[in-house]
Amino acid sequence: MGVHSADEINEFGQGDLKVLSDMLADKPFFFGDEPTSLDVVAFANLAQIYFIDKEVSYLLRDYMTE
């Protein structure tokens, strides 16, 4: 705890989002045409970022929506 700066943590998060985006590419789900456990877990975690109150400034959500 406290080893990384806020900027570093944001960069890690952006990198993780980029990897997920690259894996998904233009597919409807990570492993093809049907959802798997990975899709459910990814949605559950990404929704926590995406649905933060829009009045709250959150860099990772902004990066995700771009």
Side-chain angles (χ1 to χ4, degrees):
M1 297 292 291
V3 175
H4 300 286
S5 69
D7 289 338
E8 289 173 320
I9 293 168
N10 189 55
E11 286 179 28
F12 296 152
Q14 288 179 359
D16 292 342
L17 290 175
K18 177 74 171 116
V19 168
L20 290 173
S21 178
D22 290 345
M23 285 180 63
L24 190 57
D26 60 349
K27 298 179 292 197
F29 301 101
F30 283 102
F31 294 116
D33 295 327
E34 298 291 324
T36 65
S37 297
L38 176 59
D39 296 289
V40 174
V41 170
F43 175 80
N45 286 280
L46 296 172
Q48 293 180 62
I49 296 169
Y50 184 78
F51 290 109
I52 292 174
D53 188 336
K54 302 296 184 207
E55 294 180 11
V56 175
S57 176
Y58 193 60
L59 294 175
L60 199 53
R61 181 200 52 228
D62 298 341
Y63 178 81
M64 175 193 278
T65 58
E66 290 175 7

